[in-house]
Amino acid sequence: EGAQWKYGETGYGPKDWKKVAAHCSESAQSPINIETSTVNKDSNLKGLRFTCDNKNGMVSGVLVNNGHAPTLAINKPQGTATLTGGPLGDNVYRLQQLHFHFGCDDDKGSEHTVNGEAYFGELHLVTYNTKYPNFATSADKPDGLAVIGVFLQEDDDAGEPSVSLRALSRAMSMIEEAGAHVIMRAFLYDLVPQLRDLSKTSFYSYKGSLTTPPCYQSVNWIVLKKPIAAGERVFEAMRDLHDHEEHSMCNNFRPSRPLNGRTVSEYSG
Ligand code: 1SD
Ligand code: ZN
């Protein structure tokens, strides 16, 4: 077995991920800092379409502590969602899983930053291109994945946390140890209200990578401008999660990678 990658400065932290996965040192990596003054306001860019199989965007699956992030692996036969349009053109992407990155402190935790500012956390909705047979075969293809990133902000500014986010954070108390899992469901339209009408939602998009090893450069990133509300209890539940070394999982974000000439486009909904 190879070395276990991790977050932080010691051991196989982000600076050493290239020793674990060579792709991590390539030039179109994620996350990035989004400088709003230099984004390409692309008037030809169309809105996205997000369609859920079930009413209210109900999904069910297994919430897993994989040691890196609390991840809801969606049981797709019971209903999932598709994403198309915008920078994805006619390709149809299917939702595979969602997971959270978050900070130990309230002033950092998101992977993407905007004008150098981090949010407390970032939700990732991971979708794969249905022109490939499944997630695993699409994960290393240049057009293989699309990930919707949604910032988490403290409730004072953004409202109350959703019922679904509170339910997810309560379920996290049942999976504090790495390897633990619990079956649960969530309502995507409640978790991220913008998903109800994604075609009217403003976002940034660019071509990048998985933010964790193996760092494949296969991701069409779609970062929503408007955050969702979280709260102190949500943050605390996340911070009680443990990694493989039984440390707190918090600060499970990769520092920004250089843009290296890539274009970030902006869609204003
Ligand atoms: O960090 C996740 C990783 O856990 C896994 O879910 C991967 C997809 O195989 O995606 C990355 S990320 O780029 O969505 N952060
Ligand atoms: Zn992620």
Side-chain angles (χ1 to χ4, degrees):
E1 247 309 276
Q4 266 284 358
W5 62 271
K6 56 190 278 299
Y7 292 98
E9 301 290 312
T10 58
Y12 286 90
K15 287 193 186 68
D16 287 323
W17 285 0
K18 56 183 180 292
K19 296 178 190 163
V20 179
H23 292 290
C24 299
S25 62
E26 290 176 355
S27 60
Q29 291 284 297
S30 295
I32 57 164
N33 174 44
I34 298 164
E35 274 303 330
T36 56
S37 61
T38 62
V39 297
N40 175 32
K41 295 192 167 61
D42 185 351
S43 54
N44 293 319
L45 190 58
K46 301 232 164 43
L48 288 153
R49 283 196 305 284
F50 189 83
T51 311
C52 290
D53 296 337
N54 296 328
K55 197 163 176 276
N56 299 323
M58 201 262 280
V59 290
S60 57
V62 193
L63 184 69
V64 189
N65 176 342
N66 62 18
H68 305 298
T71 302
L72 182 66
I74 290 163
N75 184 357
K76 298 193 292 292
Q78 286 189 28
T80 184
T82 56
L83 176 67
T84 188
L88 310 176
D90 293 333
N91 290 285
V92 177
Y93 289 70
R94 181 178 290 133
L95 184 63
Q96 174 78 8
Q97 51 109 318
L98 57 88
H99 62 266
F100 296 89
H101 301 264
F102 51 93
C104 302
D105 308 299
D106 293 359
D107 60 349
K108 59 175 189 292
S110 65
E111 297 218 287
H112 291 92
T113 54
V114 180
N115 299 328
E117 294 287 328
Y119 287 84
F120 159 75
E122 189 171 331
L123 162 63
H124 286 161
L125 297 140
V126 180
T127 71
Y128 69 93
N129 195 333
T130 55
K131 77 188 226 192
Y132 303 111
N134 51 42
F135 171 79
T137 51
S138 61
D140 63 349
K141 305 296 185 296
D143 60 352
L145 303 180
V147 182
I148 303 176
V150 191
F151 294 120
L152 269 64
Q153 196 179 52
E154 282 201 75
D155 45 1
D156 295 355
D157 312 310
E160 289 291 308
S162 65
V163 171
S164 281
L165 184 57
R166 281 185 277 149
L168 278 162
S169 63
R170 273 197 305 278
M172 287 175 202
S173 69
M174 291 178 254
I175 57 158
E176 287 184 359
E177 302 315 315
H181 62 268
V182 61
I183 290 172
M184 71 166 304
R185 59 183 190 173
F187 297 89
L188 297 176
Y189 292 147
D190 174 52
L191 185 64
V192 184
Q194 300 98 297
L195 294 177
R196 247 187 215 287
D197 201 350
L198 202 58
S199 66
K200 294 202 182 97
T201 299
S202 300
F203 63 85
Y204 302 107
S205 75
Y206 75 98
K207 294 279 290 176
S209 74
L210 297 178
T211 64
T212 54
C215 304
Y216 295 136
Q217 293 187 163
S218 58
V219 182
N220 278 289
W221 275 100
I222 291 154
V223 179
L224 305 190
K225 281 195 205 172
K226 189 173 185 280
I228 57 169
E232 204 48 48
R233 287 169 71 181
V234 171
F235 301 168
E236 277 164 15
M238 291 185 181
R239 289 174 187 145
D240 283 340
L241 294 165
H242 292 167
D243 65 13
H244 290 292
E245 295 175 338
E246 293 179 32
H247 297 134
S248 175
M249 187 193 274
C250 60
N251 286 347
N252 60 346
F253 62 90
R254 185 189 199 187
S256 288
R257 306 306 305 151
L259 204 52
N260 292 329
R262 283 174 287 174
T263 300
V264 180
S265 297
E266 175 181 9
Y267 174 84
S268 292

